[in-house]
Amino acid sequence: MFRPFDFAQARVAVIVAVAFVTLSAQTAPLDVAIINVGAGGGQLFNGLGGVAGRMDGTIGIRNGHIVSMGAVDIRNAREVIDAAGMVVAPGFIDVHSHGLETIARPQLRTADAELAQGVTTIVGNPDGGGPVDLAKQRATLEADGGIGVNVALLIGHGSVRSAVMGGANRAPTADELTKMLGLVKQAVADGAFGMSSGIFYTPGRYAKTDELVALARAAGGVYTSHIRDEGNYDVGVVASVDEVIRVAEEAKVAGIVSHMKALGPDSWGLSKTMIEHVDAARKRGVLVWADQYPYEASSTSLLAAVLPGVSVADARARLADAAKKPTLLAEAKENIRRRGGPHSIAIASTKDMSLAGKRLDDVAKAKGTSPEQAAIDIILDGGASIVSFNMSEDDIRAIMRQDWTMASSDGALSLPGESVPHPRNNGAFARRLGVYVRERKVLTMWWAINNMTSLPARVFGFTDRGMIRDGAIADVVVFDAATIIDRATYDQPHQLATGMRAVIVNGRVAWKDGKPTGVRAGVVLR
Ligand SMILES: [Zn+2]
């Protein structure tokens, strides 16, 4: 029999329930109490506003959330963190991370390199890469006790394209496009926040813009792109930024230019034009942002840097053909020049690890050959990852100062002894605060913090993160603004950042007094 809903009775039940929850919230002990917030010269940056908030009080954390700010009862708090003299801020969000490529390894699951810098959330599967099956990836991340930081997944365009079309250098047929759209939609159902592309790399570079628009529209959310050309290899960096704007505009998604830069001396100074184009697009309502890591060197594969778009098999065949060998060598030589010459390229990891850390000109000299021949020899012998010095400080600063530029690392998780990787793995966020805020004064502290917390949370749609307020999810960092610094250098890239007193992930203390606690409180966001 149909019975009308009894509002009066329901209201009583709600009042009783609210009263119970409120009462137990006041009496149950806190999981974590951060005390002396704002005291002793410390500051609270809530991530939300233009100015730094100041307060003398306590932040209470219970059941993963911030439950009280101000004066609260800290008796019985399970853990107390003293923030006197410290900066308290929302946990940092790394919007372009390669961390997922190795985080499932047992030694890397706590993600110490991220925690040491205050990073509590990473966005994975950048540059069009990562797996196509995100449900399986999620299960791997959640298995075996989980991981130390939160993770947001993207679906990689290059991975989708190669699953459907292999390495085909052509536009998809209608049937292939339908299949790709299906994979993208499945990934979104499995929790993807959008699509990444890496159209400098194969097979992503085989896609025309309309393919990217169609797939980005199906993905919705964000479209992040390692653009077609960050220098002057191909269409040029400005046209490549324009392509992100076009995809964002036509697909009606939030376009993000990944690790924005002007690569190579020929392109230095073009940040001005790139910024003008992004500003103009934003003025007419296009959703477009960028991210950036604060270093003058980038990192990629030797093959992509020296012979972009050429496969190893192709390179081998051309080298063996006396008629084609000179053009291959000339192409490699020109691309090495574009990046700043052979001394600007350092080997990070390769089969012969005695080369790790060495510059290409020195490698060539030792082998008695030309830099282009030495590079191709390494490529044919299994390849290498490189650190490539190719940016100007003026461009870095200009891009960094934009209010639409978010912080990223582009870094991976790595172990000492396995390679000489880019120091950004262990330093990007600490360097932004220590070098670009404190030492070089390019950014103010509140600006830097907003662009690594609330801005990315808003752009990606991470609800209740990237800010400190009652009810928000408790991703919180406590650090010393006077000492925070990156310790990873190009020669010694495995040194963790210092200056972070505490890092709280989903209400649990994952980093304390300069050390990991071993707590793995990260979740895969949806
Ligand atoms: Zn990239």
Side-chain angles (χ1 to χ4, degrees):
M1 195 185 81
F2 174 76
R3 292 174 71 168
F5 185 69
D6 186 337
F7 284 99
Q9 205 177 330
R11 199 177 311 136
V12 171
V14 167
I15 289 167
V16 170
V18 167
F20 178 75
V21 169
T22 310
L23 194 67
S24 57
Q26 280 168 355
T27 54
L30 296 170
D31 294 329
V32 184
I34 306 175
I35 62 167
N36 295 323
V37 178
Q43 277 184 304
L44 170 72
F45 292 84
N46 62 14
L48 287 169
V51 288
R54 281 168 186 274
M55 59 178 276
D56 291 300
T58 305
I59 295 176
I61 294 168
R62 188 188 298 120
N63 295 331
H65 288 77
I66 292 169
V67 291
S68 52
M69 290 175 64
V72 291
D73 185 358
I74 63 160
R75 282 169 302 174
N76 305 324
R78 294 195 179 92
E79 203 148 3
V80 175
I81 289 162
D82 187 351
M86 299 280 126
V87 166
V88 178
F92 305 150
I93 299 171
D94 183 352
V95 299
H96 188 102
S97 168
H98 290 272
L100 297 189
E101 288 155 27
T102 51
I103 201 169
R105 293 176 64 183
Q107 316 93 305
L108 296 172
R109 276 192 170 262
T110 47
D112 295 349
E114 308 281 358
L115 296 173
Q117 303 180 63
V119 171
T120 56
T121 299
I122 63 175
V123 178
N125 303 337
D127 300 330
V132 171
D133 186 346
L134 298 193
K136 193 170 157 203
Q137 183 179 32
R138 165 188 297 270
T140 308
L141 295 170
E142 288 172 345
D144 301 325
I147 50 175
V149 290
N150 301 311
V151 166
L153 303 176
L154 299 170
I155 179 68
H157 161 261
S159 303
V160 166
R161 197 178 212 274
S162 93
V164 173
M165 300 176 62
N169 182 2
R170 56 171 172 79
T173 63
D175 183 48
E176 286 167 341
L177 185 61
T178 304
K179 284 191 182 130
M180 288 199 279
L181 289 167
L183 291 177
V184 167
K185 284 176 189 156
Q186 183 58 51
V188 172
D190 291 334
F193 281 81
M195 184 173 87
S196 75
S197 78
I199 48 178
F200 173 64
Y201 299 107
T202 52
R205 65 191 290 124
Y206 303 143
K208 299 269 190 300
T209 311
D210 55 355
E211 174 184 326
L212 300 167
V213 169
L215 294 168
R217 187 185 292 130
V222 298
Y223 167 71
T224 76
S225 183
H226 181 137
I227 57 179
R228 212 171 277 282
D229 185 1
E230 295 185 313
N232 64 336
Y233 277 97
D234 181 6
V235 295
V237 65
V238 173
S240 298
V241 168
D242 289 345
E243 190 177 17
V244 177
I245 295 169
R246 189 184 143 197
V247 173
E249 188 159 26
E250 293 185 13
K252 297 191 167 49
V253 295
I256 300 171
V257 178
S258 293
H259 40 61
M260 192 187 242
K261 64 171 78 74
L263 188 154
D266 297 347
S267 300
W268 289 352
L270 285 177
S271 60
K272 186 170 180 289
T273 318
M274 291 150 63
I275 290 165
E276 284 167 5
H277 286 210
V278 171
D279 281 340
R282 291 172 63 84
K283 268 199 193 102
R284 59 174 200 273
V286 185
L287 304 171
V288 55
W289 284 272
D291 67 72
Q292 183 198 38
Y293 52 83
Y295 291 89
E296 68 275 27
S298 66
S299 178
T300 189
S301 77
L302 185 60
L303 176 64
V306 173
L307 295 170
V310 178
S311 71
V312 175
D314 261 9
R316 198 182 302 279
R318 284 170 67 186
L319 201 63
D321 184 333
K324 291 179 180 163
K325 183 177 170 183
T327 59
L328 183 79
L329 286 169
E331 207 175 305
K333 187 176 181 186
E334 169 61 4
N335 288 333
I336 291 167
R337 185 201 65 77
R338 281 190 172 117
R339 297 186 86 91
H343 190 68
S344 73
I345 294 175
I347 305 295
S349 99
T350 186
K351 200 159 88 187
D352 175 3
M353 279 303 283
S354 73
L355 299 182
K358 298 223 166 88
R359 304 291 182 118
L360 185 57
D361 54 347
D362 296 328
V363 172
K365 225 173 278 163
K367 300 204 167 184
T369 184
S370 67
E372 53 275 18
Q373 182 69 55
I376 293 172
D377 289 345
I378 294 171
I379 288 167
L380 297 184
D381 191 28
S385 63
I386 59 162
V387 171
S388 162
F389 295 82
N390 56 46
M391 287 171 246
S392 86
E393 177 70 12
D394 287 347
D395 285 323
I396 293 171
R397 291 178 185 216
I399 292 166
M400 187 178 282
R401 285 198 184 100
Q402 304 310 310
D403 60 6
W404 38 260
T405 300
M406 299 179 280
S408 70
S409 73
D410 201 9
L413 290 163
S414 52
L415 289 172
E418 294 188 352
S419 67
V420 185
H422 195 298
R424 65 194 183 188
N425 291 13
N426 290 308
F429 281 74
R431 181 174 175 80
R432 187 172 285 265
L433 297 171
V435 174
Y436 282 91
V437 173
R438 186 176 62 239
E439 292 174 8
R440 296 184 189 170
K441 298 185 171 36
V442 175
L443 301 176
T444 59
M445 181 64 85
W446 68 263
W447 183 286
I449 287 178
N450 282 4
N451 288 17
M452 52 176 78
T453 59
S454 56
L455 177 67
R458 196 157 45 83
V459 172
F460 282 78
F462 302 151
T463 317
D464 287 335
R465 294 183 195 268
M467 59 188 138
I468 292 183
R469 60 158 176 73
D470 277 330
I473 295 168
D475 292 340
V476 184
V477 297
V478 180
F479 67 90
D480 186 346
T483 64
I484 188 161
I485 197 72
D486 56 312
R487 309 248 306 139
T489 63
Y490 292 103
D491 295 329
Q492 305 218 14
H494 292 287
Q495 303 176 112
L496 296 184
T498 54
M500 193 57 60
R501 174 168 289 186
V503 180
I504 296 163
V505 180
N506 293 313
R508 297 174 65 199
V509 181
W511 188 267
K512 199 175 179 187
D513 300 330
K515 288 190 293 286
T517 63
V519 163
R520 288 189 254 158
V523 296
V524 183
L525 305 180
R526 303 203 75 125

